[in-house]
Amino acid sequence: MNGTEGFPLRKCALVVLGALAIQAAALLAMGHPPICTCGTVKLWWGVVQSSENSQHIFDWYSFSHVIHGFIFYGLTWLALPRAPVLARFAIAVGVEATWEILENTPFVIERYRAGTISLNYYGDSVINSLSDNVCMIVGFVLARRLPISATIGAAVAMELIVGYVIRDNLTLNILMLVHPIDAIRAWQAGG
């Protein structure tokens, strides 16, 4: 990633590793398991309505975190156009780490369980949460490399595919977290 003027790669790496370490430590302190309590680590887990969702490395919600990277790249580019890309990257990792900690608080977990179809959601394992941040990193790097139209097209495609397959995606997740709608909840449940 180019753009180290005023923010060297070493400093960026320290900030990023620090944010990831704080993220992991906070989740462990809140009682989240390091890995799935089933005792295994799977690369992919595709069953949303199960106790193993958000417990393995990647799942259907990983695509939402790639989109987070697209969004954070765009927002930091707009808000800090003169900042080195590595500084904006470090900010994005810090924001994602902060969201991962907040998302795994009892308040937000209960909000998901009450307002969405995520009745079996008890929070992320540490490995899943860190993988979510890695997905955001992938999205940030892709947004830097791809034309804007390709980035937007990829985000729309991911939202449509994930929405079709699991009846949930980033857009619906935000909507149902902020303002649950019974008709959407019924559709998500298959009714």
Side-chain angles (χ1 to χ4, degrees), residues 45-55 120-121:
W45 184 259
V47 182
V48 174
Q49 294 300 324
S50 76
S51 61
E52 290 186 49
N53 192 51
S54 296
Q55 300 302 302
N120 291 324
Y121 181 66

Side-chain angles (χ1 to χ4, degrees), residues 15-173:
V15 170
V16 167
L17 291 174
L20 295 173
I22 290 168
Q23 177 183 338
L27 292 173
L28 288 169
M30 290 189 293
H32 291 273
I35 64 169
C36 180
T37 56
C38 64
T40 62
V41 176
K42 297 176 180 128
L43 184 61
W44 172 261
W45 184 259
V47 182
V48 174
Q49 294 300 324
S50 76
S51 61
E52 290 186 49
N53 192 51
S54 296
Q55 300 302 302
H56 297 287
I57 296 175
F58 300 112
D59 55 41
W60 285 107
Y61 294 101
S62 299
F63 297 101
S64 293
H65 295 280
V66 172
I67 296 171
H68 287 185
F70 294 169
I71 294 167
F72 295 159
Y73 179 82
L75 289 177
T76 59
W77 179 77
L78 287 170
L80 305 165
R82 296 188 190 278
V85 70
L86 288 178
R88 295 188 289 120
F89 174 73
I91 290 168
V93 173
V95 170
E96 183 74 6
T98 302
W99 166 246
E100 285 295 320
I101 293 166
L102 180 64
E103 176 188 38
N104 284 284
T105 61
F107 174 77
V108 175
I109 291 170
E110 285 306 314
R111 182 77 179 152
Y112 274 129
R113 292 172 49 90
T116 71
I117 60 165
S118 302
L119 299 176
N120 291 324
Y121 181 66
Y122 295 97
D124 298 351
S125 69
V126 174
I127 195 167
N128 178 265
S129 180
L130 291 172
S131 296
D132 288 346
N133 209 322
V134 169
C135 288
M136 186 285 304
I137 290 169
V138 168
F140 189 97
V141 172
L142 285 173
R144 171 144 168 81
R145 300 280 181 211
L146 295 173
I148 293 172
S149 60
T151 303
I152 293 170
V156 169
M158 284 187 274
E159 284 288 88
L160 291 173
I161 292 167
V162 173
Y164 176 77
V165 173
I166 68 168
R167 294 180 183 235
D168 202 8
N169 56 28
L170 180 60
T171 304
L172 290 172
N173 203 289

